[in-house]
Amino acid sequence: MNKNSLVIYKNQPAVIKELDGDKYIITYCSQPATPTGKKAVYGEQKVREKDIILLAQGPVTSIDKVLACANDEALTQAHTAGLEETYELLLSDEQTAASPLSFDELKEYAASDLSADQTWAFYKTLCSMPQFCQDQEEYKNLKLVFTLRNAQQIEEINRKKYEKEHEEEIRKAFIERLKKRQLELPGDSKFMGEVEAFALCQTEKSKVLEMAGMSQNIEKAHRLLIETGIWSETKNPHPTRLGFSFDSAREQLGAMPDEEREEVPCTCYAIDSPNAADPDDAIGFDGEYYWVCIADPASSVAPDSSIDIAARNRGTTLYIPEGASRMLCESSLEDYALGLKNPSCALAFRLKIDDNCQIEECVVKKVRVNVKMISYGEVEQQKDSDTFKPFYELARRNLERRTANNAITIQMPEVDIKVDRETKKVTVAPETKYESNDVVQEFMLLAGEGAARFAFANKIPFPYVSQEAPSFPEKLPDGWAGQFARVKCMRKRSVGITPAPHAGLGLSFYSQVTSPLRRYGDLIAHQQLRAFIDGRRVLDKDEMLERVAAGDAASLAARKASRLSETHWKLVYLMQNPEQTYKGVCIDKRGNDALFLIPQLDMQTTLKTCSDVQLNDEVVLKADKIDITTQDVIFLRL
């Protein structure tokens, strides 16, 4: 580069004033003159060769002359015409059209008689034209290289340019269409993005709603999105509103670590639903001891690791009709779920039960166990076999013990909701329950009780679950009404580090430890137990309290998201089956109003002026008005 060469410095034109060894002294205009009379401001800078890009060897008359040419409209029009003609010429040759072109090549094609003073004007025009695309990576390497854009790309650039130049006019027209609920889709959908964000509780307000004179209300925003066709009525916003992702955790746990483990002397059975994908518990009996073997992700998830913190923020695996959003990554199931590989590694609770069904001994062990996966229905068919009979007998004895200790059993209807991913067709069916479900539940309660007693005896800070005793009226009604009356009297469960009775279960000690793949409280319980049996430091009470509180808060939010999601899909089901009728059972009276349970849907609804209805009376109901946005539904009594 020579003296008076034209160069680009920080995306602006500059002229080389002097050569100073291996550096250049350049002059440039840092602030052009203005029509209001402000004079131009010039600057000088000593730069290296790698800081500038050569445009023209020169000689350049002056930086002022370069800038004057750039502001010459006639010259700009001439450059534009020459470049348009060049574009058409190059486009006609398929090979040339696909090849990169240097700035000098384009200059030769479009303006071969270009002076040095006019080169910046030509470069500015070239960069402004949608037909040409500058290679930014080459620009970083101090090379000016361009490619040709196709017609579709040019159209998109021109569209964006038009929208930017007419932004206010376009937005006003959109607002008018929005007020009339007559959007032009898909084009208008980009303007509704902030309304979607507001309806999903991702922003606190929406400028679009404000401009349209609409209230800042998430349910009304939800309704607007449906009315304008942005969302369908099947759109489930509730997990997102509560901060949950529809995706499972992504960070990999890695393979199960190689560590010393004891062999379980009997086969253990992972009893679950036929379609269960994450078996995390298995039970067995060796003739003397009962074994409850639990998946062992705590072997890889250390306290305060990134995986641990992510699991704490989720609190639990979120189960909704659309599927599961897992607390730990999906790939962890292959290595950590029980029975998918044999032998399986587990954390086991070896229980010795006395004649009164009290836990005489609970030992916690890291084990390797052969696990057989089997469904509830298959176990039920073999309940009197030598293999499964001991499980049923222990479960019945444990239930009797808990009942004698005032455990409360409530049986309300439960339904299974399925959503077809493609069609969004919803099915709602009663959950199939077997006595084997209760068997597994009793074994999980025994493991939770044993773990709590083990932790208390060894002074391990631990997440205990408790519940105060309810206060029932002297006389409870029969049937569904009686079950509902019990539900109303139940106290909330509590999770903390101080052991206390769980009145609902009829247990003096209890902790949940049987689902560490899907409950954070269970995972930290396992972390504490493993640290203790390994002789490592356990978390202290303050550390545990902090983790227990955070995990439980997230878990409560997940349960709310799950409950709202289930209601959402039940309402979609009602909308998809408008003529269907349902049996309603009166479970509560409030003056002349009656609360009805619809067992087929596991839903409740209140009807007014039902003075003729008594508790447990049955009526026929049909859904009348359904508001998916507020989750309100009005049933008619037929």
Side-chain angles (χ1 to χ4, degrees):
M1 286 179 273
N2 305 318
K3 184 178 177 179
N4 292 328
S5 291
L6 180 64
V7 297
I8 300 173
Y9 173 67
K10 292 186 176 180
N11 299 322
Q12 295 297 325
V15 177
I16 295 178
K17 183 178 179 182
E18 298 286 347
L19 306 180
D20 186 2
D22 61 348
K23 294 187 178 179
Y24 301 89
I25 297 172
I26 60 171
T27 181
Y28 56 91
C29 182
S30 59
Q31 183 179 309
T34 64
T36 57
K38 282 189 177 182
K39 294 183 178 180
V41 178
Y42 299 91
E44 284 191 2
Q45 185 77 31
K46 185 181 287 188
V47 298
R48 298 164 296 182
E49 187 171 351
K50 68 176 186 177
D51 296 326
I52 54 180
I53 303 174
L54 178 66
L55 265 182
Q57 287 286 3
V60 171
T61 305
S62 67
I63 189 68
D64 285 332
K65 181 66 174 176
V66 169
L67 293 173
C69 289
N71 292 323
D72 185 330
E73 290 187 11
L75 186 61
T76 300
Q77 290 176 1
H79 289 163
T80 300
L83 283 165
E84 286 177 344
E85 186 177 338
T86 297
Y87 174 79
E88 295 299 331
L89 177 66
L90 293 171
L91 197 65
S92 63
D93 185 331
E94 190 173 314
Q95 185 174 353
T96 306
S99 303
L101 295 159
S102 71
F103 174 72
D104 288 338
E105 287 176 314
L106 287 169
K107 187 171 61 171
E108 189 64 30
Y109 276 121
S112 57
D113 58 347
L114 199 66
S115 72
D117 290 338
Q118 297 171 338
T119 307
W120 173 250
F122 180 81
Y123 176 75
K124 270 187 67 178
T125 303
L126 173 62
C127 291
S128 70
M129 294 182 68
Q131 292 95 326
F132 300 93
C133 176
Q134 186 167 14
D135 189 320
Q136 294 303 314
E137 288 301 317
E138 292 285 13
Y139 185 81
K140 291 176 185 176
N141 296 325
L142 310 182
K143 296 177 182 178
L144 303 179
V145 177
F146 295 80
T147 54
L148 304 185
R149 289 192 175 100
N150 59 39
Q152 186 177 353
Q153 292 170 325
I154 294 170
E155 183 181 353
E156 179 65 13
I157 290 171
N158 288 333
R159 182 186 66 77
K160 289 181 178 179
K161 182 181 178 183
Y162 176 85
E163 288 179 354
K164 187 174 182 180
E165 292 172 349
H166 300 81
E167 184 176 359
E168 187 175 348
E169 176 188 336
I170 291 170
R171 185 168 283 269
K172 282 182 178 179
F174 157 71
I175 293 296
E176 289 304 311
R177 292 194 296 275
L178 179 61
K179 289 177 180 178
K180 298 174 183 176
R181 311 296 195 273
Q182 295 176 350
L183 296 188
E184 296 175 358
L185 298 178
D188 282 343
S189 59
K190 61 181 178 293
F191 298 114
M192 294 295 285
E194 69 169 65
V195 180
E196 290 188 85
F198 175 74
L200 293 170
C201 296
Q202 294 173 330
T203 58
E204 293 184 358
K205 59 182 180 179
S206 164
K207 188 176 180 181
V208 166
L209 293 177
E210 183 182 345
M211 291 177 67
M214 299 176 182
S215 63
Q216 306 277 334
N217 175 282
I218 60 170
E219 286 84 9
K220 290 182 179 178
H222 185 173
R223 186 176 297 114
L224 178 67
L225 289 164
I226 292 174
E227 290 173 348
T228 53
I230 302 296
W231 285 1
S232 72
E233 290 174 325
T234 62
K235 170 74 174 180
N236 176 15
H238 302 290
T240 307
R241 286 178 180 172
L242 289 161
F244 289 94
S245 167
F246 284 89
D247 297 323
S248 296
R250 294 183 179 178
E251 187 172 352
Q252 304 287 322
L253 271 69
M256 181 75 70
D258 185 18
E259 55 185 341
E260 188 176 341
R261 292 178 181 269
E262 183 176 317
E263 300 289 338
V264 175
C266 60
T267 298
C268 288
Y269 296 88
I271 307 170
D272 214 323
S273 302
N275 55 353
D278 53 357
D280 53 4
D281 56 74
I283 61 177
F285 181 52
D286 64 11
E288 181 180 4
Y289 296 104
Y290 291 93
W291 294 81
V292 180
C293 295
I294 307 299
D296 194 14
S299 61
S300 295
V301 182
D304 282 337
S305 64
S306 56
I307 295 177
D308 179 71
I309 292 170
R312 188 186 312 162
N313 291 336
R314 287 177 180 259
T316 183
T317 289
L318 175 66
Y319 291 101
I320 55 178
E322 297 99 308
S325 172
R326 300 191 184 281
M327 183 183 78
L328 299 176
C329 66
E330 194 86 32
S331 63
S332 67
L333 297 179
E334 182 179 352
D335 287 317
Y336 292 85
L338 300 185
L340 300 185
K341 288 182 178 179
N342 271 313
S344 295
C345 293
L347 191 68
F349 299 89
R350 193 189 72 181
L351 303 168
K352 189 171 184 178
I353 309 296
D354 66 17
D355 293 339
N356 297 316
C357 208
Q358 298 287 345
I359 297 175
E360 186 175 303
E361 178 188 77
C362 175
V363 179
V364 183
K365 295 174 174 287
K366 295 185 290 184
V367 302
R368 191 172 285 104
V369 55
N370 284 312
V371 176
K372 181 177 180 181
M373 298 174 63
I374 188 168
S375 70
Y376 290 115
E378 289 173 313
V379 172
E380 198 72 12
Q381 292 174 0
Q382 305 173 53
K383 62 193 300 183
D384 295 322
S385 68
D386 292 341
T387 299
F388 296 108
K389 188 175 181 179
F391 299 156
Y392 279 80
E393 289 178 347
L394 178 63
R396 289 164 189 154
R397 287 168 55 210
N398 198 53
L399 177 58
E400 288 170 2
R401 173 178 70 97
R402 294 193 304 106
T403 303
N405 201 27
N406 298 314
I408 299 156
T409 301
I410 298 175
Q411 294 181 334
M412 294 294 283
E414 294 181 40
V415 295
D416 182 30
I417 307 167
K418 286 187 169 60
V419 180
D420 185 283
R421 289 180 179 271
E422 298 296 326
T423 65
K424 303 302 180 185
K425 174 114 177 126
V426 184
T427 58
V428 180
E431 280 197 354
T432 303
K433 292 287 186 180
Y434 300 98
E435 188 182 354
S436 55
N437 293 78
D438 299 328
V439 169
V440 172
Q441 177 179 298
E442 293 300 326
F443 270 80
M444 298 307 107
L445 293 178
L446 282 165
E449 182 184 4
R453 290 183 178 277
F454 181 89
F456 182 73
N458 291 287
K459 299 181 174 56
I460 305 171
F462 211 61
Y464 296 100
V465 184
S466 60
Q467 186 180 43
E468 292 183 17
S471 178
F472 290 138
E474 289 186 14
K475 187 176 181 181
L476 287 167
D478 298 326
W480 291 122
Q483 298 297 318
F484 179 71
R486 288 176 174 83
V487 172
K488 287 197 301 179
C489 296
M490 296 301 292
R491 306 287 182 88
K492 288 185 178 179
R493 91 201 215 310
S494 177
V495 181
I497 59 171
T498 303
H502 195 299
L505 297 176
L507 300 174
S508 53
F509 287 89
Y510 182 59
S511 179
Q512 289 184 309
V513 294
T514 58
S515 295
L517 286 174
R518 57 186 180 90
R519 286 196 300 247
Y520 183 70
D522 300 42
L523 179 63
I524 55 177
H526 277 228
Q527 290 171 343
Q528 289 290 81
L529 293 170
R530 284 181 58 89
F532 176 80
I533 62 179
D534 286 346
R536 295 182 283 110
R537 173 187 173 271
V538 297
L539 299 173
D540 63 33
K541 289 184 177 180
D542 289 341
E543 291 172 312
M544 278 299 292
L545 188 61
E546 179 185 351
R547 287 161 174 74
V548 166
D552 194 50
S555 180
L556 289 171
R559 285 200 289 273
K560 182 178 181 181
S562 180
R563 184 176 67 252
L564 291 171
S565 296
E566 288 178 357
T567 301
H568 170 84
W569 289 109
K570 288 175 186 177
L571 297 185
V572 173
Y573 175 81
L574 291 174
M575 297 168 76
Q576 291 176 350
N577 300 275
E579 299 305 316
Q580 190 164 332
T581 59
Y582 307 91
K583 179 182 77 174
V585 181
C586 178
I587 56 173
D588 199 16
K589 291 294 298 285
R590 302 162 188 174
N592 285 332
D593 297 345
L595 179 66
F596 288 91
L597 170 69
I598 306 173
Q600 186 178 343
L601 300 174
D602 184 19
M603 287 184 71
Q604 297 174 14
T605 185
T606 299
L607 270 64
K608 297 185 177 300
T609 61
C610 292
S611 56
D612 60 320
V613 175
Q614 303 301 316
L615 291 181
N616 290 315
D617 281 357
E618 295 182 2
V619 298
V620 178
L621 301 173
K622 181 181 178 182
D624 182 32
K625 296 178 181 177
I626 301 167
D627 190 336
I628 205 84
T629 67
T630 60
Q631 295 206 329
D632 291 328
V633 56
I634 296 175
F635 283 89
L636 295 179
R637 179 181 172 189
L638 302 181

